[in-house]
Every structure is written in C-alpha cells, then in structure tokens.
Amino acid sequence: MLKIGLQLYTLRAELEQDFEGTLRKVAELGYAGVEFYDFFGRTAEEVKGLLQETGLVALGAHRPYDAMLNDTEQEISFNLEIGNRNLIVPYLTEEQRNWEEVVANFRIIGEKCKAKGAVFAYHNHDFEFTEHFGERTAFDGIFEEVPAELLQVEMDTCWVYYGGYDPVEYVHKYAGRLPLIHLKDMKKLEDGSAETVVLGEGEVNLTAILEAADAAGVEWAVVEQDYCSRPALESVADSMKWVRAYANQGGKVHV
C-alpha cells in the first residue's frame, strides 16, 4: 500500500519565509513524508529535530547533479543524519546531457552511496523521452547502462505522459526498481506547453498510475505541483483531498 509524500519544491516560497512553520502545516494536512530539495541553511540536527516533532518522514532529497558528483560524501552524510536514504538527481541541464558521461558519473555516485548505505536515484522530466541515447530514449538508456544496485528510478509519471509515453506501462516496466513516483496532474495548453494543476483537475489518469504503482511495489507516491495558479498550500491541501477521496473508494494508499 502506497504512502503519500510531498515534494517540497511545490512550497518553495513558503519554505523560504517560514521553513519550520511550513513543514508543520504539511504534517497537519496529512502527508506522511516530505521530499526535500533545499534545506534553507538549516543544520542536519535542526532538520532531524523538526522531522521528529512533526512525525514527517524524510522520504528523499533532490540534490543537484554537480553537488552529488563533487560533494558526494557531504551530501550522503547530511541526508543519512536526518534519516533520509534516498538521494535523487532531479534534473540535467542541456550542457550536462552527455549521456555517456552521465552514466559513467552515475555509476561512481551510485557506488559511493551504496558503500554508505544510501540509495542513489534519478528523477526524469520529459526531455529524457524526446532525446536519445543511441537507439534508445535517454530514459531507457540511462537505466540500462547503470545497474539497478547503483541507480534506482524516481519516475515523474506526469512528465512521462507529457513526453508522449504511457506512464502506466513505464511503471510496470520498471517494477522492482521503482521505490518512488511523482504523482502530478497537468493540462496541455494550446501552445503545447504543460500547466501543472491540483490532482484530479487535469488530464493524467492518476487512478491507473496509482494502481500500477501499488502492483509494482512502489513505496511512496510523491505529490508535486511545479507551479500553482492559486496559493500553494491551498493547492497541496486540495491534492490531499483528492487522495483521500481515492482512498475512500478503495484505493491502496495510506492516508
């Protein structure tokens, strides 16, 4: 049964103004865990204390590619101290997308994480499905070239959909290597761009994704909304309402 977390990037403005108060509100909304992307200058001890106070689980952290490559030991140490084992590279700039180099570096990072008892993962956007690594999509190429013991999948199912592929099929394809998914909804605009919206207000088949994720052994479904048209805390509260409604209809999620 899936646990529900929140990617804190959704609340970046609120966290910058009031880090501690915002995390307390996330806990009050019923999210079981949080995925960090920045610690806003707090020490590991301070973050750990706040997590203990709120009961939130540190389910993962998005960390920059350069930081994971050049400051690996420091990144691992900080995250293990707060209770987080999942260190995730969330994005590669166009300049960084030399796929041969990426997979070589991912192997190095993965080995260091494995040696310390941490888990290294990669989170996709849509470009991994529109760009290619040899004859494969960049997404498939990365995960075929780096073994699962060194690199796990954090699949952003919304970006798989936007990239032109079926997220349900991809969840099944990576079953057993997929501890985390991002659960996100969107609408395609007339110009072809994506507008991220509250869960249930867009066109992504969230129910099918959650059913596939449960069958695939996913541990955490991580709610994220890249940009919110209404106040972000209100948006994540409304997304949790959708999750609760899904659970009440028999959905296999912990809420």
Side-chain angles (χ1 to χ4, degrees):
M1 191 171 281
L2 294 157
K3 292 178 279 191
I4 303 296
L6 179 70
Q7 164 51 252
L8 291 173
Y9 181 75
T10 309
L11 301 176
R12 53 198 175 276
E14 291 77 8
L15 287 161
E16 189 167 4
Q17 292 177 358
D18 183 3
F19 183 82
E20 290 76 11
T22 300
L23 280 178
R24 292 182 185 115
K25 288 176 182 175
V26 170
E28 290 169 6
L29 290 173
Y31 288 92
V34 287
E35 186 173 61
F36 291 95
Y37 80 99
D38 195 326
F39 298 100
F40 294 89
R42 271 61 174 186
T43 65
E45 186 178 1
E46 288 170 332
V47 175
K48 182 179 180 180
L50 186 59
L51 292 169
Q52 289 173 339
E53 175 202 324
T54 58
L56 289 167
V57 173
L59 69 92
H62 280 190
R63 306 304 299 148
Y65 178 45
D66 287 343
M68 286 302 299
L69 188 59
N70 300 318
D71 303 309
T72 321
E73 302 293 340
Q74 181 181 335
E75 291 288 343
I76 294 170
S77 176
F78 186 102
N79 279 278
L80 289 179
E81 189 173 343
I82 69 169
N84 169 47
R85 293 179 66 238
N86 295 312
L87 290 101
I88 304 139
V89 167
Y91 186 75
L92 296 167
T93 66
E94 289 187 26
E95 294 74 21
Q96 292 170 335
R97 295 175 204 168
N98 177 325
W99 300 117
E100 292 283 358
E101 186 176 289
V102 166
V103 298
N105 288 335
F106 277 8
R107 288 191 197 103
I108 293 168
I109 298 167
E111 290 281 9
K112 291 180 178 179
C113 286
K114 182 184 175 186
K116 297 289 187 179
V119 176
F120 180 49
Y122 180 68
H123 162 277
N124 64 283
H125 286 74
D126 63 310
F127 64 80
E128 293 89 350
F129 293 90
T130 57
E131 297 185 22
H132 286 79
F133 183 6
E135 298 298 316
R136 304 158 292 187
T137 63
F139 185 97
D140 289 323
I142 289 169
F143 292 110
E144 287 174 13
E145 294 292 331
V146 186
E149 65 180 20
L150 302 182
L151 183 68
Q152 293 284 288
V153 183
E154 179 179 64
M155 190 180 297
D156 190 311
T157 56
C158 181
W159 287 122
V160 175
Y161 169 80
Y162 184 72
Y165 290 79
D166 182 350
V168 170
E169 288 183 7
Y170 259 80
V171 166
H172 287 307
K173 181 175 182 177
Y174 284 92
R177 193 179 181 173
L178 185 61
L180 312 166
I181 64 163
H182 271 203
L183 189 67
K184 182 187 300 179
D185 209 349
M186 60 154 279
K187 296 176 181 176
K188 286 182 183 173
L189 303 179
E190 288 185 6
D191 64 1
S193 63
E195 177 188 3
T196 54
V197 295
V198 167
L199 296 183
E201 295 185 4
E203 60 191 69
V204 178
N205 191 341
L206 302 172
T207 298
I209 288 169
L210 286 170
E211 289 172 354
D214 180 67
V218 173
E219 182 179 4
W220 287 94
V222 186
V223 175
E224 183 184 31
Q225 190 173 342
D226 296 7
Y227 297 96
C228 303
S229 60
R230 52 186 187 261
L233 273 165
E234 179 184 322
S235 295
V236 298
D238 287 344
S239 284
M240 178 52 80
K241 289 177 184 176
W242 183 92
V243 172
R244 290 187 188 282
Y246 170 75
N248 289 338
Q249 294 166 3
K252 294 179 180 179
V253 294
H254 285 291
V255 288

